[in-house]
Amino acid sequence: MPASISRRALLGSGALAGAGATLLATAPGAAAAPNYPMTTFPTLSAGMTGIPVRALRYILFHRGHNCGIGDTYDAGTVSAVRAFQTRRALPVTGIANDATFRKLIGDLALITYGNTSYFVTASQVLLTRQGYVMDGTGYYGDKTRRNIWSFQIGHGMAHSDKVSLLTWSTLFGARTSGALYPMLQRDTGTAQWANCGPVVAVATLLHQGKTPTSWTWDVTTRRTAIEKFRYDAMEVAHTTARDKIGTEYPDFVTGFGKYGISLWHGGIEDTLTDARAGRPSIAGGDVFQMPYPVSVSKPTSHWVAVLGYDGTYYLVVDPISAPSVDYVHRLTATHLRKYAATNPGHPPESAKQNSILIRASSLRQF
C-alpha cells in the first residue's frame, strides 16, 4: 500500500462496528432483523457519513482517484466520483449509485484469498460494520476468509473465497441479525469435549454485539475466551472430574447473567420462531443426527447456536462439526426438530425443555 496513508487513517478514528448506522438499508417488507442478500447497492451522496462512505473512498483510491480516507462524503469524494463517472461514460453526477458501484467494482469483484489491496481493506471495514471486527490490513488471509464465508452464508449465499458483486452489494446494503462466528470446541482446554455450551454461548454473545472476556476477534485464539466463560462466567469448577461434564441451563443462566442477559427455557419450536425473527437461541439435541460430518461416532447430547434464518434455512454454529466443515451450517426445520427430539439422556422434546432462549428485554436492539 502507498505510504501516503497512515495506519491510523486505515483503521479510522474509532470503533468501526457502530459507525454509519444511518446508511444501513433494509429490503422492502424485510423483517426487523433479516438475513438476506441485497441485489443492488445503496446510493451514497454528498454529506453522508459512515463506514460505507469509508469503503467507497478506499475503492476510489484503488481505482486511482485519491480523495483521501475518511467517513464523510466530502467535496473530494464528489470530485473523485465525478472523475470516475466521466472516465467510464456514466452520467456525471458525483453520486455513487448502483450503476457507479458496479463499474467501480467491476473486474475487481472477484478478489480472493491471498490478495493485498485497498479493495480488500474496503471489504474488511464493511465486515467490521456487520460485526466481524477486522484490523484493516488489506490482506485477504484466513481471518478475512472465515468472516467472508460467514457473512455469505448468513445472507443466503454459497460460501466462496471470491467476493462477488452480490457479496459486495450485500456488504454495503444489508442489515444483519448479528455476526456469525463458527468455532470448534476442540483445542479449548482440558474440558474441550465438554465445552459445547461455553463455545455456543460465546458465539451467541458475539451475535448479540457483546465482547466476551478475553475474546480477540480471531477464532484461532478462542481458547482463553472459552475457558473464561466456562470457569469465570458460568462458575463451573475447574477439576478433572467436572471437566468431563458438559453444561446445563442453570450454568447458562449464571454465565449470561454476567453480561446482563436474561434467559428462559423453551423448546425447538421456540428456537425456530425466534430464528425467523432474527433472534438467537441455543438448542440441545443429538448431534449425531446432524446432516454434516461431526466429530462423534455415536448419539451424543450437545448444544448448538441457532443464530438466524435466511428465508429458507436456519443458520447454525455447531462446535463439534468436523474440521472440514468448520463453518456456519444451513439446516431445515426438519433437521432441527429431529436433532432436538433425539437428545440422549435429556427430557423428550414434548417436555419443551431442549432450548435456551433470550428474553426480549435482553435482546440486542437495532
Side-chain angles (χ1 to χ4, degrees):
M1 294 183 181
S4 58
I5 296 182
S6 68
R7 180 169 178 79
R8 180 177 177 82
L10 285 173
L11 296 176
S13 57
L16 298 178
T22 56
L23 294 182
L24 290 174
T26 55
N35 297 79
Y36 57 86
M38 292 290 289
T39 57
T40 60
F41 288 85
T43 297
L44 306 183
S45 58
M48 286 185 167
T49 61
I51 295 307
V53 174
R54 174 176 285 264
L56 167 65
R57 291 174 69 164
Y58 278 126
I59 293 169
L60 285 164
F61 197 96
H62 188 94
R63 287 296 195 184
H65 299 278
N66 187 359
C67 55
I69 300 302
D71 295 345
T72 301
Y73 204 119
D74 57 12
T77 307
V78 172
S79 295
V81 171
R82 288 176 63 88
F84 178 81
Q85 289 169 332
T86 299
R87 196 171 78 187
R88 291 302 182 94
L90 293 164
V92 182
T93 62
I95 297 170
N97 58 10
D98 183 72
T100 300
F101 267 114
R102 290 181 182 279
K103 290 288 188 179
L104 268 170
I105 292 172
D107 59 317
L108 294 177
L110 300 183
I111 62 167
T112 191
Y113 187 81
N115 291 164
T116 300
S117 70
Y118 285 118
F119 218 63
V120 177
T121 307
S123 73
Q124 291 170 337
V125 299
L126 290 168
L127 283 166
T128 297
R129 169 178 172 256
Q130 300 282 358
Y132 302 89
V133 176
M134 303 290 296
D135 53 15
T137 61
Y139 172 63
Y140 194 148
D142 290 339
K143 184 176 177 181
T144 302
R145 165 190 268 170
R146 288 184 64 89
N147 290 341
I148 286 289
W149 281 22
S150 293
F151 181 80
Q152 289 168 330
I153 294 171
H155 289 84
M157 293 176 265
H159 68 270
S160 172
D161 286 348
K162 295 180 178 180
V163 187
S164 65
L165 271 173
L166 182 60
T167 304
W168 276 108
S169 58
T170 305
L171 277 169
F172 267 100
R175 183 181 183 184
T176 182
S177 62
L180 306 174
Y181 275 91
M183 60 188 94
L184 300 181
Q185 63 191 82
R186 65 171 61 214
D187 302 322
T188 59
T190 56
Q192 61 177 334
W193 299 119
N195 266 345
C196 57
V199 170
V200 296
V202 166
T204 302
L205 287 172
L206 291 167
H207 181 270
Q208 286 295 285
K210 293 184 180 290
T211 306
T213 301
S214 299
W215 180 252
T216 65
W217 302 105
D218 187 343
V219 297
T220 63
T221 57
R222 65 195 178 280
R223 174 175 173 168
T224 302
I226 301 306
E227 290 187 314
K228 287 285 187 182
F229 194 87
R230 181 182 180 95
Y231 302 124
D232 295 351
M234 285 182 156
E235 300 180 8
V236 174
H238 194 352
T239 65
T240 300
R242 187 63 181 88
D243 280 351
K244 296 177 182 178
I245 302 171
T247 48
E248 300 294 344
Y249 177 68
D251 303 309
F252 284 97
V253 170
T254 300
F256 276 89
K258 299 292 199 313
Y259 292 85
I261 294 176
S262 178
L263 305 176
W264 62 283
H265 217 174
I268 197 63
E269 295 306 319
D270 299 305
T271 280
L272 299 178
T273 297
D274 275 15
R276 289 192 295 271
R279 300 189 294 264
S281 68
I282 294 168
D286 176 13
V287 73
F288 196 59
Q289 302 296 328
M290 288 304 195
Y292 45 79
V294 294
S295 297
V296 296
S297 57
K298 62 182 181 179
T300 303
S301 187
H302 186 59
W303 297 110
V304 299
V306 183
L307 300 180
Y309 180 69
D310 66 12
T312 303
Y313 297 103
Y314 297 86
L315 308 175
V316 173
V317 167
D318 185 346
I320 211 163
S321 301
S324 61
V325 291
D326 180 21
Y327 45 76
V328 179
H329 301 286
R330 288 194 183 103
L331 299 184
T332 65
T334 299
H335 288 139
L336 286 170
R337 288 182 178 122
K338 182 178 181 181
Y339 161 79
T342 54
N343 194 353
H346 284 68
E349 179 49 23
S350 59
K352 306 296 183 186
Q353 295 292 296
N354 269 346
S355 288
I356 299 169
L357 304 107
I358 298 177
R359 293 192 185 278
S361 60
S362 298
L363 285 164
R364 177 184 185 183
Q365 300 299 313
F366 289 90

